[in-house]
């Protein structure tokens, strides 16, 4: 799961590197189009995460009707989100790009990219549903195979179509979109084939978990919506804070911008561990495992989370002491701000990891609304308004602005841990 996540987020970096020789205009066009399409992808990933947990509950129970119901409901809901998202984005694209793009040429390139990128959205809607189903069934290597195939396809196809290599037409930004579309099509095709090969027998299972398909979909939505709302809220809060950061000094804003992808990429090590913990807890709950079995498993999972957090902290230490080599062209002041982030980046990994263990455990037990409240209130009642105060009114340094992420984790700590230690989540019936 960690390797898959690194491939997923690393692909964005690779696309940027391939397009960068075309100049700032091409990068701006790709960035604008990807931002619009990325909003739909964010919702797709949120619902696929919920499907992952629901699948684990069904897989743990051993109930084939439950498993079939989750697969059919999840696929239909997420595919519908993809189709609706493509329609809405393409309707809104013209006026938005005309308003946001720095020139008509950039807007035109972005429009072409977004049109082709619609294939990526639809492919991800199908592909992420299947990948989440595999993860929930404990077959986490299968989604990785898809990325091992699609990433080389994306790099080779994009490189040839962007720059006109090997007799291919030089299509610029559109070539990058076609490369991504080809890669996603290949990836979704492989996963569909593996799904039919491994789980094709589900087509012959008669019946639905909640009596009929309509109530089954509604039950899936009831479970999924709080999880999806949590992820969407986190994305919106991050974008709002990023807009506020633009009011900081140029060096501080650059440092905050540069640390974000590092935080996302390195954090996958501990985040994927905690997500895997949630999947296994859901499977155990589906099996109606005894409380002492769950306690023993979680105690070991917590140790693993702390080891993963330590590894991430070490990665940030290496990154910060290597800043002169990684970013030789940055101004010394910007590098100094980045290095000053080191204490926060190392300490935050530990409360973040243990909070994530709690959150994914509670989600696995179906306590999704409670988890949603913790995230939403800590973001919108604390971090966003505190960011406004720190940046716009107190004009504090970037160190203190970044520290709000640490204080947010501290704020969530008692709410999460009290709920888990209370223990009533172990008694929940996850098959309802």
């Amino acid at each position: 799961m960690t390797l898959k996540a690194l491939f997923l987020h690393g692909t964005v970096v690779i696309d940027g590197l391939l397009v960068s020789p075309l100049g700032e205009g091409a990068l701006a066009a790709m960035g604008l189009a990807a931002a619009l399409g990325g909003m739909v992808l964010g919702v797709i990933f949120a619902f696929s995460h919920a499907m992952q947990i629901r699948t684990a509950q069904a897989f743990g129970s051993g109930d084939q009707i439950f498993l079939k119901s989750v697969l059919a409901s999840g696929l239909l809901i997420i595919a519908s989100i993809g189709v609706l998202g493509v329609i809405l984005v393409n309707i809104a694209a013209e006026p938005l790009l005309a308003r946001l793009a720095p020139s008509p040429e950039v807007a035109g390139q972005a429009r072409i990219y977004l049109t082709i990128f619609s294939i990526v959205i639809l492919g991800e809607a199908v592909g992420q549903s299947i990948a989440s189903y595999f993860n929930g069934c404990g077959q986490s290597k299968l989604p990785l195979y898809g990325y091992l195939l699609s990433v080389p396809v994306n790099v080779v196809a994009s490189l040839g179509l962007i720059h006109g290599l090997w007799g291919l037409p030089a299509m610029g930004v559109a070539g990058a979109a076609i490369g991504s579309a080809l890669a996603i099509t290949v990836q979704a095709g492989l996963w569909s084939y593996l799904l039919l090969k491994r789980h094709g027998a589900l087509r012959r299972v008669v019946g639905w978990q909640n009596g009929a398909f309509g109530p089954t979909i509604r039950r899936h939505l009831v479970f999924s919506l709080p999880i999806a709302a949590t992820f969407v809220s986190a994305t919106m809060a991050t974008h709002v804070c990023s807009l506020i950061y633009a009011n900081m000094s140029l060096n501080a804003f650059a440092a905050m911008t540069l640390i974000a992808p590092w935080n996302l990429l390195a954090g996958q090590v501990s985040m994927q561990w905690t997500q895997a913990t949630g999947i296994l807890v859901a499977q155990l709950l589906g099996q109606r495992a005894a409380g002492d079995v769950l306690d023993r498993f979680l105690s070991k999972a917590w140790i693993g989370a702390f080891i993963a957090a330590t590894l991430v902290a070490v990665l940030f230490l290496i990154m910060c002491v290597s800043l002169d080599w990684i970013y030789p062209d940055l101004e010394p002041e910007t590098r100094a701000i980045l290095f000053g982030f080191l204490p926060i980046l190392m300490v935050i990994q530990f409360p973040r990891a243990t909070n994530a263990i709690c959150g994914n455990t509670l989600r696995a037990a179906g306590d999704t609304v409670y988890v949603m409240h913790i995230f939403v209130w800590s973001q919108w009642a604390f971090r966003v308004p505190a960011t406004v105060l720190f940046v716009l009114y107190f004009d504090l340094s970037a160190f203190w602005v970044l520290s709000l992420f640490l204080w947010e984790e501290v704020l969530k700590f008692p709410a999460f841990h009290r709920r888990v230690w209370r223990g009533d989540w172990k008694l929940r019936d996850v098959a309802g």
Side-chain angles (χ1 to χ4, degrees), residues 1 99 146 149 175 216 244 347 366 387 400 415 423 431:
M1 286 175 63
R99 183 179 181 85
L149 179 62
T216 299
I244 299 169
V347 172
T387 301
W400 292 109

Side-chain angles (χ1 to χ4, degrees), residues 7 11 141-157 179 182-191 193-194:
F7 272 119
T11 302
K141 290 182 181 178
L142 299 182
L144 177 61
Y145 296 155
Y147 282 96
L148 290 174
L149 179 62
S150 67
V151 170
V153 169
N154 189 12
V155 172
V156 173
L182 286 172
I184 292 299
T185 302
V186 169
Q187 179 178 274
L190 174 64
W191 286 342
Y193 166 76
L194 292 173

Side-chain angles (χ1 to χ4, degrees), residues 312-346:
V312 176
V314 171
L315 288 174
F316 275 116
L317 174 62
I318 295 170
M319 185 272 284
C320 285
V321 299
S322 307
L323 286 172
D324 290 345
W325 176 74
I326 299 172
Y327 297 116
D329 298 324
L330 285 181
E331 294 181 11
E333 183 181 347
T334 305
R335 288 202 299 270
I337 295 171
L338 283 170
F339 187 81
F341 290 158
L342 181 59
I344 299 170
L345 295 173
M346 294 186 71

Side-chain angles (χ1 to χ4, degrees), residues 32-369:
L32 281 171
L36 291 175
M39 290 189 290
V40 182
L41 289 178
V43 178
I44 288 171
F45 290 143
F47 274 89
S48 65
H49 180 69
M51 182 179 175
Q52 187 170 265
I53 297 173
R54 192 68 173 153
T55 301
Q57 295 173 345
F59 181 79
S61 72
D63 185 342
Q64 293 299 293
I65 293 177
F66 190 5
L67 202 57
K68 177 190 115 173
S69 299
V70 171
L71 177 59
S73 300
L75 267 171
L76 180 62
I77 291 170
I78 298 173
S80 299
I81 291 170
V83 172
L84 182 61
V86 165
I87 294 171
L88 292 177
V89 164
N90 279 279
I91 290 174
E94 204 70 47
L96 280 174
L97 291 175
R99 183 179 181 85
L100 297 174
S103 69
E105 291 76 15
V106 170
Q109 290 186 69
R111 188 71 184 87
I112 294 171
Y113 185 98
L114 189 59
T115 301
I116 303 169
F117 195 77
S118 298
I119 300 172
V120 175
I121 295 173
L122 296 174
E124 288 284 21
V126 174
Q128 289 303 318
S129 302
I130 299 173
S132 296
Y133 177 81
F134 286 147
N135 285 339
C137 292
Q139 299 168 338
S140 56
K141 290 182 181 178
L142 299 182
L144 177 61
Y145 296 155
Y147 282 96
L148 290 174
L149 179 62
S150 67
V151 170
V153 169
N154 189 12
V155 172
V156 173
S158 296
L159 190 60
L161 290 168
I162 290 169
H163 303 290
L165 304 178
W166 314 302
L168 295 171
M171 303 179 68
V173 172
I178 293 174
S180 297
L182 286 172
I184 292 299
T185 302
V186 169
Q187 179 178 274
L190 174 64
W191 286 342
S192 298
Y193 166 76
L194 292 173
L195 178 66
L196 288 172
K197 183 179 179 181
R198 300 292 184 97
H199 300 274
L202 289 176
R203 291 175 296 175
R204 295 188 290 274
V205 174
V206 178
W208 298 102
Q209 176 66 12
N210 297 88
F213 192 45
T216 299
I217 292 177
R218 284 196 294 273
R219 178 66 186 93
H220 194 97
L221 271 174
V222 168
F223 180 86
S224 301
L225 281 173
I227 297 177
T230 302
F231 280 82
V232 172
S233 172
T235 301
M236 290 178 61
T238 298
H239 284 311
V240 169
C241 288
S242 297
L243 292 174
I244 299 169
Y245 298 155
N247 293 277
M248 303 168 71
S249 69
L250 181 61
N251 298 101
F253 181 46
M256 294 294 291
T257 302
L258 285 172
I259 205 60
W262 281 97
N263 203 20
L264 181 64
L265 202 59
Q268 293 304 317
V269 176
S270 57
M271 286 301 102
Q272 293 303 317
W273 176 271
T274 59
Q275 284 194 22
T277 299
I279 289 172
L280 292 171
V281 168
Q283 290 179 356
L284 289 169
L285 289 170
Q287 296 167 9
R288 302 184 186 277
D292 60 334
V293 174
L294 290 163
D295 289 339
R296 283 198 303 272
F297 169 72
L298 274 183
S299 65
K300 293 178 181 179
W302 242 300
I303 294 171
F306 276 100
I307 293 172
T310 302
L311 178 59
V312 176
V314 171
L315 288 174
F316 275 116
L317 174 62
I318 295 170
M319 185 272 284
C320 285
V321 299
S322 307
L323 286 172
D324 290 345
W325 176 74
I326 299 172
Y327 297 116
D329 298 324
L330 285 181
E331 294 181 11
E333 183 181 347
T334 305
R335 288 202 299 270
I337 295 171
L338 283 170
F339 187 81
F341 290 158
L342 181 59
I344 299 170
L345 295 173
M346 294 186 71
V347 172
I348 196 175
Q349 306 308 324
F350 299 95
R352 179 177 284 170
T354 188
N355 281 342
I357 286 279
C358 292
N360 282 294
T361 297
L362 294 172
R363 285 190 186 117
D367 205 356
T368 55
V369 175

Side-chain angles (χ1 to χ4, degrees), residues 247-249 252 387-398 400-401:
N247 293 277
M248 303 168 71
S249 69
T387 301
V388 172
L389 290 174
F390 278 30
V391 174
L392 300 181
Y393 290 94
F394 300 139
D395 194 23
L396 296 182
S397 68
W400 292 109
V401 175

